[in-house]
Amino acid sequence: MKRRAIFSAAAGVLLAGLTVLFAPTSPANAHGNITGPASRNYGCYERWGSKFQDPAMATEDPMCWQAWQANPNAMWNWNGLFREQVAGNHQGAIPDGQLCSGGRTENGRYNAMDTVGDWKATNVGNSFNVKLFDGARHGADYIWVYVTKPGFNPVTQALKWSDLTRVSEIGNTPAAQWTQRADGVEIDVPVSLSGRSGRAVVYTIWQASHADQSYYFCSDVNFGGTTTTPPTTPPTTPPTTPPTTPPTTPPTTPPTSTPPATGACSASYALSSQWSGGYQAEVKVTAGSAAIKGWRVTLSYGSSQTVQQSWNSTVTASGSSLVATNATYNGALAASGSTSFGFIGSGTASTPTVTCTATT
């Protein structure tokens, strides 16, 4: 079921009257993405998911800015960029210039990924790993990794099949052979090149071992930088209904936190944005010196609170406090591991006292 939301923000934040469709991610198509070097839509989600209405994105990350305006669902549904029934004929199914959107799959949801421009690039050496996260644990029939040929400039050129050279691949690999995570599995595909420098695109095709689903990812890299170490914790599943109320001011409140104890957790609060009658906040939860199985965060205010919506947790109001409990996919954290959740509250924003308790 699709929901329609209208974003109306102050000048420079979002186009007035912009209408976007939010399509909740269903378990059938919620698989995964390349988290390192981050694909275009996962990178935009990772950098801006908690502050996607921040006008600073327009100057700091203009390619993500255009993508969020074109269709925010391309980022919220970072794990659903796939086509069905391709039967291995990838070049026949996807025209030149449309490789990063999977041939304008999912009714054009990911079209902005094909936009030519200066996408944020990850610095890599000539040897690096492509990390694929699979939230549905389907594994792979195969994973093919390509890199654009020397001389290709993604800042000015649209990607074509003839621009690519296959540099690495993995054959049939059941999910049981992947690295196990609390909310999925992940696998590294090693890439080793020589003599490369400058900008390039890493293009990954993942044939999931589920029906006939082919996934396509564009990751922008800069050869000659330091080898990038992917995140040690898996990505969190995006909210099915992202926040829709536009902010008018940037964050002003510094994070507040409580120190972690052994086998416990800490939490830090940050005000993302506020407007007349409401505000958006984000809370980061971090495990202590031992792994935890679940967490509960209490935000204590000086007056009664109301929460409109939340993501990556269940947030309920209890008098002058808001109580958040982990989602099924982000409760288990490794020692010193972290996750985050967000919510939209009613009224005037104030800084709460934050406490975190953990299940070990």
Side-chain angles (χ1 to χ4, degrees), residues 142-156:
Y142 55 82
I143 303 169
W144 295 343
V145 178
Y146 300 77
V147 173
T148 49
K149 298 173 182 177
F152 175 81
N153 185 357
V155 178
T156 59

Side-chain angles (χ1 to χ4, degrees), residues 188-278:
D188 287 337
V189 183
V191 175
S192 183
L193 305 170
S194 62
R196 293 301 301 267
S197 62
R199 292 290 296 272
V201 172
V202 176
Y203 190 64
T204 305
I205 299 176
W206 167 33
Q207 185 68 37
S209 297
H210 172 69
D212 182 7
Q213 291 186 341
S214 308
Y215 289 72
Y216 306 93
F217 309 112
C218 282
S219 302
D220 292 270
V221 299
N222 180 38
F223 285 109
T226 57
T227 301
T228 304
T229 302
T232 56
T233 56
T236 54
T237 302
T240 56
T241 306
T244 58
T245 308
T248 56
T249 58
T252 57
T253 304
T256 60
S257 62
T258 55
T262 300
C265 59
S266 65
S268 60
Y269 169 94
L271 179 65
S272 300
S273 55
Q274 58 184 325
W275 55 92
S276 178

Side-chain angles (χ1 to χ4, degrees), residues 12 29 58 109 128 142 233-234 241 260 301 341 346:
N29 62 23
R109 175 187 291 167
F128 62 97
Y142 55 82
T233 56
T241 306
Y301 296 82
F341 68 89
S346 299

